[in-house]
Amino acid sequence: MGRVTLISLFLILCSNVISAYAYSRFTFKRLLVEYAENPIHIDESHPRFSWIISSDRRNQRQSAYRIMVASSFKNLNLNHGDLWDSGKVISSETIQHEYEPDNLKSNSSYYWKVIFWDGDAKPHESPASGFETAFLSANDWTAKWIGKGSKSEPLPAQGFYKDTKEQSGMADTIVHDGNSLLLRREIELSKKIRSARAYVTGLGFYEFYINGSRVGDHVLAPAKTPYHRQILYDTYDVTNFLTKGVNAVGIHLGNGWYNPYKKWWNDYRMQWFGSKKAIAQILVNYTDGTSQWITTDAKWRQANGPVIYNCVYDGEIYDANLDHQGWTKTGYNDSDWKPVTVFEPTNAILRSYRMPPVKVHETFKPTEIHGSKEGVRVYGMGQNFAGWVRVKVKGSRNTVLKIRFAEDLNKDGSIDVTSNEFAKATAEYRMKGDSLETYEPGFTWFGFKYVEISAVNGPLNLIEVEGRAVYSDNPQTGTFGCDNQLVNKIHKATVWSQKSNMIGYPMDCPQRDERLGWFGDAQVTAEEAMFNFDMALFYENWFEGIKANQDEKSGDIPIISPRPYIHDEGIEWSSTYLTMLWQYYITYGDRRILERHYSAMKRYMGFLEKTSNDLILPKGWIGDWGSMVNGWKEGEPASVPTAFYYLDSRIMSDVARVLGHTNDEQYFKNLAEKIKVKYNGSYLNLETANYNDGSQMANSFPLFLGIVPEDLKSRVLENLVNDIVVKSNTHLTTGVLGTKYMPEVLARLGRGDVAWGIINQKSTPGWNDMMRKYTTMCEFWTLKQSKNHVMMGSIDAWFYKYMAGIQMDEKHPGFSSFVVKPIPLDSLGAANASIETIRGTISSDWKKEHGQWLLKVIVPFNTSALVCIPGEAGAEVREGGVSLKHITDIENSGYKDGAHLFKVHSGSYSFTINKK
């Protein structure tokens, strides 16, 4: 009888839960902890919770919430938040709710859910979700750094070598070992395993194995960081890799950015931080409630691996004859291996790798290029990208497969390696003579569209060649399309350039001997990137490296990261730290990012103040990089650094306001006004209404910043338009910076038509010329050098904002309220875009059809939008086929600048207006 009662009770409880979800008009789309779903790598003592809800009804909102965090699923199911219960909080906010108690422990599992109350005060309960902590304290690490070489490595006080000459003053000289390194150990697990987690990293790159299987699908791990300050470790669920009894654990190490060859030790290339090394801790939890740690220590053994040369720039050489068959499995005889070196502890902090890892994504089936030389095959991938090729081949022992990569072809069909510059960009594979051998690189990558394959010491017998695209697994959150095919090509090329240049950090290019995190490139493309991809954790990690690299004495910020601080001129580049932090806050509503960087931001402002002369900053060597102005020299226009000083001051005032620092807010606001006066006094010609050299960049940037005196604004704009349309025949002359900011301000000031003319310009310089020849964005308008720099793709944000019309409102960060305002453009008949925001999906889709202008808009749950519909003042606007005069839940906000304005709340809307 008792059993029947329990079963009946269980069925009743289940039916209640099912009913609640079945009849609810709300759906919990995502439950996030620090931007991730069910993460197992949290190293925050106070993680934040966010939830994304959708509803099939309009005007739905949250009026209150309650978060519960429990130590067990049982407690959570009983609504017993034994670790934290926020109680019912009257708030409409659905993002960035911080865990309040100080009771989280390292390497532990937690369960959480949220109940929210809708606008009618009815509660709705989310499904259960979870998260796990990694290491919350550096003291939790008991493992040792292990590898091969000297236990103590001589390093200067700065913690790295940036030049071989720096070794002369040291007690010892670095003997560089570029061969890959294998580490292994077998361990006994005596009980039945309930769960297991591995916390591991290897420098420069590592691969992790247990019992013969590769753990995880990460590649090129860990991501590059300022290694003397911060090193990232990965967290893996290895429950299904381990078994009761004997287990084998292995790590394969490559050089990466940590242990580069001496030829590349240079300020603007690579720095040497130490020999290859690894650290790992594996937590095994048994079913009887006990646990065991497996760590890297002196009991591990090491041997040289089969990759006899590996370099980020030059490529790798893999000798299959040196494979240690079965080294990752139990029972392998490692008696001829050597004991590992246990290194002295590093000064760097170990941080959890919480951003999406670098992975292999698309696989391309290439086509062979005819006209190749005998014994040489050239393949075209159809798309330029970052990654490598995977080949399947047959041949005799010691036949060497040579694979070269390039972005372009010569006229005779051979590969053109010009854009690789000094990087050899070559992979070699020495065959062992098996019936079928498969090879793809693991400790390097290439930027390419074409690949040349040849053989030495034997015939070329290729069975299969595939291109493998590699980039950080940042989810693609944006879509865009229109009826202009050139614009669609630009968008696609921008997305591919973005993919190619996010390999753990925002890079400039993937092919040559550079691949650095130049700030200017990241600055101008940040908005586009955050429309197209979820960049929250990716950028958060990058910002942490920048802060760690700030010069301790001056407060200066580097212009490249991740790289140790090395002084360089370029305020327009280093200011990226402030501009992107603010952009990040506006996009994700993340107040804590501002809190954590505020001190560093203030120190940087102090550096600018000391560097300035009566509030005017000196010209650096960068300026509007890549400018097409006749006679342009590096660093021009000279006004740019001071303009960024103004922008930085304004941002700091806004940040101080958000954080409640009233005195700072007023200080930086006053500073911005003083800089504005000095700037105009120094660079504005009152007679001609031109700034500095009168170039497009010189005039457009102060217009963008809003610092042009009101009585001269129309004249400065007229000068700008005249330079573009008349003097330059509707061509731009701008470089990296101006190409971002000029089209933006033209649209803002009602001259989107001029920007549209530039975008559609058919002759050089322009995007059409670029898209006729390439599938990614070029570094320069001349189409010389790199064919895969994303910076000229900054225009893609313009497509989202002014063609599809999705625009952020800085007063409402995180898209809590936004604007949909497409601008009418000649010859454009349709455009659409969608963005998966931190609050849900925003969509704008319009087209001209049968004399009407139709606009479909999706507004996420708990948000609102100002929808601007272009048309004549007297034209009737209808929604869902019904005149707005008869719809009460859409607020008419008037008519302004040729558009009807309507305030709407969550839901789907379909507007139409008759066009003359």
Side-chain angles (χ1 to χ4, degrees):
M1 181 69 180
R3 183 183 177 193
V4 172
T5 303
L6 287 173
I7 292 175
S8 300
L9 179 61
F10 177 75
L11 290 173
I12 291 170
L13 288 172
C14 287
S15 65
N16 287 340
V17 172
I18 293 170
S19 297
Y21 286 109
Y23 296 105
S24 174
R25 61 179 182 268
F26 302 98
T27 302
F28 286 86
K29 304 295 289 187
R30 300 183 72 194
L31 297 171
L32 305 175
V33 181
E34 290 298 326
Y35 295 102
E37 295 181 84
N38 300 302
I40 64 171
H41 48 41
I42 296 298
D43 61 349
E44 293 278 357
S45 296
H46 299 276
R48 294 164 300 170
F49 303 94
S50 303
W51 47 93
I52 299 176
I53 299 168
S54 68
S55 174
D56 57 3
R57 300 186 185 184
R58 290 182 181 177
N59 300 304
Q60 298 304 305
R61 64 183 180 88
Q62 173 182 291
S63 59
Y65 70 86
R66 177 189 175 193
I67 300 172
M68 285 170 279
V69 181
S71 59
S72 68
F73 178 76
K74 179 180 179 181
N75 282 344
L76 187 69
N77 201 36
L78 294 173
N79 281 354
H80 176 43
D82 59 315
L83 293 175
W84 183 47
D85 189 331
S86 70
K88 185 176 181 180
V89 180
I90 305 303
S91 170
S92 63
E93 190 57 84
T94 60
I95 65 171
Q96 315 295 3
H97 294 286
E98 188 170 294
Y99 183 83
E100 294 181 1
D102 294 314
N103 56 4
L104 296 184
K105 298 178 180 179
S106 295
N107 318 118
S108 301
S109 298
Y110 299 101
Y111 307 86
W112 76 284
K113 65 181 174 182
V114 62
I115 297 173
F116 86 91
W117 284 261
D118 63 23
D120 298 323
K122 294 181 180 178
H124 304 268
E125 183 176 316
S126 78
S129 190
F131 68 96
E132 294 181 23
T133 52
F135 294 115
L136 300 180
S137 169
N139 295 329
D140 295 325
W141 282 95
T142 60
K144 307 297 183 183
W145 284 100
I146 63 172
K148 174 187 175 183
S150 174
K151 178 179 181 179
S152 178
E153 296 178 316
L155 287 172
Q158 63 193 13
F160 58 90
Y161 286 112
K162 58 183 175 64
D163 193 304
T164 55
K165 296 178 183 178
E166 292 180 333
Q167 291 185 32
S168 61
M170 304 302 294
D172 195 5
T173 300
I174 303 301
V175 178
H176 185 273
D177 182 355
N179 207 106
S180 71
L181 183 64
L182 305 179
L183 308 171
R184 76 179 306 273
R185 186 188 172 191
E186 294 189 15
I187 45 93
E188 177 88 21
L189 301 178
S190 60
K191 305 175 185 179
K192 187 176 181 181
I193 299 168
R194 177 173 60 85
S195 65
R197 299 291 182 266
Y199 309 96
V200 59
T201 192
L203 299 172
F205 295 139
Y206 81 95
E207 298 170 347
F208 184 43
Y209 298 87
I210 296 179
N211 292 330
S213 297
R214 175 85 176 264
V215 178
D217 54 0
H218 306 188
V219 298
L220 303 176
K224 182 184 180 185
T225 54
Y227 299 116
H228 63 309
R229 301 282 173 81
Q230 300 174 344
I231 297 169
L232 300 178
Y233 67 88
D234 285 304
T235 302
Y236 299 100
D237 180 350
V238 294
T239 306
N240 295 327
F241 288 85
L242 295 169
T243 185
K244 181 180 178 181
V246 179
N247 294 262
V249 183
I251 299 172
H252 190 191
L253 295 176
N255 297 318
W257 295 96
Y258 188 81
N259 181 48
Y261 291 88
K262 289 185 178 183
K263 63 178 285 191
W264 294 117
W265 294 11
N266 182 280
D267 286 0
Y268 291 96
R269 291 302 176 259
M270 299 188 190
Q271 299 78 43
W272 190 84
F273 297 88
S275 299
K276 295 181 290 293
K277 54 179 64 75
I279 191 170
Q281 286 188 203
I282 303 174
L283 175 60
V284 182
N285 295 306
Y286 295 115
T287 56
D288 66 0
T290 61
S291 62
Q292 177 182 347
W293 282 102
I294 303 166
T295 64
T296 45
D297 55 24
K299 297 178 182 178
W300 287 59
R301 299 182 70 78
Q302 57 86 6
N304 282 338
V307 183
I308 60 176
Y309 182 94
N310 62 106
C311 173
V312 169
Y313 293 154
D314 288 332
E316 75 172 43
I317 301 173
Y318 191 109
D319 189 340
N321 298 298
L322 301 178
D323 278 343
H324 295 255
Q325 292 295 325
W327 73 276
T328 62
K329 298 179 180 180
T330 58
Y332 175 80
N333 182 4
D334 60 10
S335 59
D336 60 342
W337 287 35
K338 306 296 183 183
V340 295
T341 296
V342 176
F343 292 104
E344 293 180 349
T346 69
N347 293 323
I349 297 171
L350 280 164
R351 292 178 48 237
S352 178
Y353 195 136
R354 294 195 290 111
M355 64 177 167
V358 179
K359 294 184 178 182
V360 175
H361 292 269
E362 295 87 350
T363 296
F364 293 92
K365 301 291 185 181
T367 56
E368 186 170 358
I369 306 297
H370 296 289
S372 303
K373 294 184 294 184
E374 185 177 353
V376 176
R377 293 187 184 179
V378 175
Y379 295 90
M381 299 292 159
Q383 174 65 53
N384 196 354
F385 60 91
W388 49 68
V389 295
R390 179 171 61 189
V391 296
K392 294 182 180 179
V393 61
K394 291 182 178 181
S396 58
R397 182 182 176 88
N398 289 327
T399 297
V400 177
L401 207 65
K402 187 173 183 179
I403 309 169
R404 300 171 67 217
F405 300 83
E407 293 187 301
D408 218 339
L409 292 177
N410 294 310
K411 291 181 179 180
D412 64 357
S414 61
I415 62 171
D416 179 357
V417 298
T418 303
S419 65
N420 293 340
E421 297 192 1
F422 295 103
K424 291 182 180 179
T426 301
E428 293 186 13
Y429 177 74
R430 183 177 294 272
M431 300 178 63
K432 56 187 172 184
D434 285 355
S435 58
L436 180 65
E437 300 179 46
T438 301
Y439 166 71
E440 59 183 313
F443 295 138
T444 188
W445 77 94
F446 310 91
F448 67 104
K449 185 180 179 182
Y450 302 97
V451 60
E452 174 197 275
I453 305 178
S454 59
V456 180
N457 298 335
L460 180 61
N461 187 10
L462 284 172
I463 305 303
E464 184 177 62
V465 179
E466 295 176 314
R468 308 270 278 168
V470 173
Y471 50 89
S472 292
D473 196 25
N474 302 326
Q476 191 164 345
T477 53
T479 65
F480 174 85
C482 67
D483 63 355
N484 182 302
Q485 293 310 305
L486 171 59
V487 170
N488 289 337
K489 287 180 180 179
I490 297 170
H491 170 69
K492 182 180 178 182
T494 300
V495 169
W496 267 107
S497 283
Q498 192 66 55
K499 289 178 177 180
S500 303
N501 287 293
M502 51 185 194
I503 298 182
Y505 60 96
M507 296 191 310
D508 58 342
C509 58
Q511 77 294 95
R512 68 189 184 206
D513 53 314
E514 198 164 0
R515 312 183 199 191
L516 301 176
W518 287 97
F519 279 25
D521 304 47
Q523 175 193 145
V524 299
T525 59
E527 188 174 32
E528 157 271 310
M530 287 188 275
F531 284 161
N532 284 310
F533 298 91
D534 180 352
M535 303 293 284
L537 293 171
F538 182 85
Y539 280 151
E540 180 187 59
N541 179 75
W542 193 55
F543 294 148
E544 283 297 316
I546 295 172
K547 183 173 67 173
N549 274 339
Q550 184 174 34
D551 184 42
E552 296 176 359
K553 295 180 180 179
S554 69
D556 187 19
I557 292 292
I559 63 174
I560 297 172
S561 188
R563 182 194 70 169
Y565 172 78
I566 298 170
H567 174 69
D568 204 342
E569 298 175 340
I571 302 303
E572 55 271 43
W573 252 232
S574 57
S575 292
T576 298
Y577 181 50
L578 273 64
T579 64
M580 282 186 62
L581 280 167
W582 182 247
Q583 185 72 49
Y584 184 100
Y585 166 71
I586 295 303
T587 303
Y588 300 115
D590 192 328
R591 187 176 184 273
R592 191 163 77 182
I593 200 83
L594 301 180
E595 292 174 343
R596 292 190 170 178
H597 291 268
Y598 188 70
S599 178
M601 295 166 79
K602 279 190 68 174
R603 290 187 65 227
Y604 175 66
M605 292 302 296
F607 164 77
L608 295 184
E609 183 177 355
K610 293 176 183 177
T611 305
S612 69
N613 181 7
D614 197 19
L615 301 180
I616 298 297
L617 287 170
K619 183 183 76 170
W621 64 270
I622 303 178
D624 191 22
W625 187 256
S627 171
M628 295 293 288
V629 172
N630 187 35
W632 177 83
K633 296 178 182 179
E634 292 182 0
E636 294 179 345
S639 55
V640 170
T642 304
F644 272 93
Y645 189 16
Y646 168 82
L647 177 59
D648 293 340
S649 300
R650 199 175 70 188
I651 288 173
M652 282 302 298
S653 179
D654 288 336
V655 172
R657 171 181 51 79
V658 170
L659 299 181
H661 301 312
T662 307
N663 291 339
D664 284 355
E665 176 189 358
Q666 192 60 48
Y667 173 81
F668 287 114
K669 182 178 181 181
N670 292 340
L671 178 60
E673 286 302 310
K674 293 175 183 177
I675 297 169
K676 174 181 175 179
V677 172
K678 291 291 183 181
Y679 181 86
N680 285 329
S682 300
Y683 298 113
L684 174 59
N685 186 318
L686 298 177
E687 294 184 4
T688 64
N690 277 315
Y691 279 87
N692 207 233
D693 58 5
S695 64
Q696 293 176 12
M697 174 61 187
N699 281 336
S700 65
F701 200 45
L703 284 169
F704 171 82
L705 295 174
I707 60 178
V708 180
E710 196 62 36
D711 60 331
L712 289 177
K713 185 184 293 185
S714 61
R715 289 182 60 197
V716 175
L717 177 60
E718 182 181 353
N719 286 340
L720 174 62
V721 171
N722 184 70
D723 186 289
I724 296 169
V725 177
V726 179
K727 183 179 178 181
S728 303
N729 195 24
T730 315
H731 289 85
L732 46 68
T733 62
T734 51
V736 175
L737 297 174
T739 301
K740 165 61 180 175
Y741 299 114
M742 185 174 72
E744 177 80 23
V745 74
L746 286 170
R748 287 185 189 177
L749 298 182
R751 296 311 308 265
D753 60 313
V754 178
W756 185 238
I758 294 171
I759 292 166
N760 285 282
Q761 177 57 248
K762 295 298 186 284
S763 60
T764 187
W767 284 282
N768 183 69
D769 189 39
M770 197 179 290
M771 293 300 95
R772 283 192 302 108
K773 300 175 182 178
Y774 301 107
T775 59
T776 44
M777 308 305 295
C778 294
E779 180 178 9
F780 296 114
W781 295 118
T782 58
L783 309 189
K784 295 180 180 180
Q785 296 177 270
S786 168
K787 307 302 186 291
N788 201 347
H789 263 66
V790 70
M791 53 199 184
M792 297 308 184
S794 62
I795 193 66
D796 199 50
W798 200 92
F799 302 159
Y800 278 91
K801 294 168 69 175
Y802 300 110
M803 293 178 66
I806 301 175
Q807 300 174 28
M808 289 181 284
D809 182 346
E810 288 196 359
K811 296 179 180 178
H812 302 278
F815 289 98
S816 61
S817 186
F818 56 95
V819 177
V820 177
K821 188 180 180 181
I823 60 175
L825 298 167
D826 287 346
S827 75
L828 186 67
N832 64 84
S834 68
I835 304 173
E836 298 289 335
T837 76
I838 189 69
R839 301 184 192 274
T841 303
I842 293 173
S843 177
S844 172
D845 184 352
W846 68 265
K847 62 181 178 180
K848 298 174 184 177
E849 186 176 80
H850 307 306
Q852 288 188 319
W853 195 82
L854 298 84
L855 170 65
K856 294 181 180 180
V857 176
I858 296 177
V859 181
F861 166 81
N862 205 48
T863 69
S864 62
L866 180 66
V867 179
C868 308
I869 301 175
E872 299 293 332
E876 182 184 37
V877 180
R878 303 173 73 86
E879 197 284 315
V882 179
S883 173
L884 287 177
K885 299 176 182 178
H886 306 299
I887 299 177
T888 59
D889 61 354
I890 298 177
E891 178 185 339
N892 191 329
S893 298
Y895 184 83
K896 184 179 180 181
D897 298 331
H900 299 265
L901 312 182
F902 300 96
K903 182 69 173 291
V904 298
H905 295 275
S906 67
S908 299
Y909 299 86
S910 181
F911 296 96
T912 57
I913 185 172
N914 290 326
K915 307 293 288 185
K916 290 185 179 179

